[in-house]
Amino acid sequence: MRVAVYPGSFDPFTKGHADILKRAAKLFDHVIVGVLVNPYKKCLFSPKERVQQICDVAKHLENVRVIHFDGLLVDFCATVGATAIIRGLRAVSDYEYEMQMFTVNNTLSPKIETVFLMASPPYSFLSSSIVKEVAKYGGDISNMVAPSIKEEVESKFEALKNEK
Ligand code: ADP
């Protein structure tokens, strides 16, 4: 059984993430989306919200599960029985960080392979940060995220605006 983990912040999960997940689900028997809980990174959505959003968007993919985790990625992989880590590569700018992460994970756990999938052309410049930046100023994010996530991002910014 080939099990892979697709880790990330997914704050929020974009169409670029969804594209990588769909392609990874064809390559592996099981793919576990690992939503990173990082107390040092300020996220728009809570881990529970992000897990729910991804579950909704990926419900048609039968071999995909979504779980949040904290701590070391290689420890999470061991817990769920994964032997591969999936990462998406967009522009050259991703390369340095991804190389660093690969080196750390490979040093900690050489048996876990990292598999890089190139971003599909329509999503090669899409990031969660861009989605938040555009939504914050009322721009249209329909091409960037699924309709259910679009609604949640817009409500979140609306609520934040009303808090001020
Ligand atoms: P992280 O905080 O780990 O970088 P992200 O949620 O930003 O988490 O991204 C998770 C993974 O998805 C990373 O491997 C990232 O390079 C990849 N990714 C992000 N956006 C895209 C995209 N538009 N197309 C393909 N891969 C992407």
Side-chain angles (χ1 to χ4, degrees):
M1 181 90 78
R2 289 166 309 158
V3 181
V5 164
Y6 179 32
S9 308
F10 307 119
D11 184 49
F13 194 73
T14 68
K15 288 191 177 184
H17 294 132
D19 178 67
I20 295 288
L21 179 59
K22 190 175 89 185
R23 288 158 57 196
K26 286 188 192 150
L27 296 173
F28 290 88
D29 296 311
H30 285 290
V31 178
I32 294 157
V33 180
V35 175
L36 182 65
V37 180
N38 182 351
Y40 302 106
K41 191 167 170 182
K42 200 177 172 316
C43 284
L44 185 63
F45 292 102
S46 71
K48 216 171 137 195
E49 286 172 320
R50 283 178 273 153
V51 167
Q52 189 54 54
Q53 289 166 357
I54 303 167
C55 283
D56 287 346
V57 169
K59 58 176 181 272
H60 61 291
L61 299 171
E62 283 174 4
N63 59 341
V64 168
R65 269 199 304 152
V66 189
I67 304 175
H68 59 72
F69 76 100
D70 54 16
L72 287 176
L73 175 58
V74 289
D75 290 342
F76 177 62
C77 289
T79 307
V80 297
T83 52
I85 295 166
I86 306 286
R87 296 291 288 175
L89 276 184
R90 286 161 292 185
V92 181
S93 50
D94 278 343
Y95 180 86
E96 205 162 310
Y97 174 70
E98 293 297 340
M99 185 70 198
Q100 230 172 46
M101 292 315 297
F102 162 74
T103 308
V104 171
N105 292 326
N106 186 258
T107 305
L108 292 171
S109 190
K111 283 192 183 150
I112 300 178
E113 193 57 84
T114 302
V115 176
F116 293 102
L117 296 179
M118 295 305 294
S120 294
Y123 309 123
S124 57
F125 290 97
L126 180 55
S127 67
S128 299
S129 313
I130 295 270
V131 171
K132 287 181 277 194
E133 204 59 26
V134 172
K136 188 170 155 188
Y137 297 109
D140 183 12
I141 54 167
S142 337
N143 290 332
M144 304 179 188
V145 293
S148 55
I149 296 182
K150 175 179 183 275
E151 245 175 60
E152 288 199 34
V153 172
E154 287 171 352
S155 317
K156 189 67 103 177
F157 278 114
E158 201 53 43
L160 288 175
K161 214 161 68 184
N162 293 335
E163 262 175 31
K164 283 182 187 162

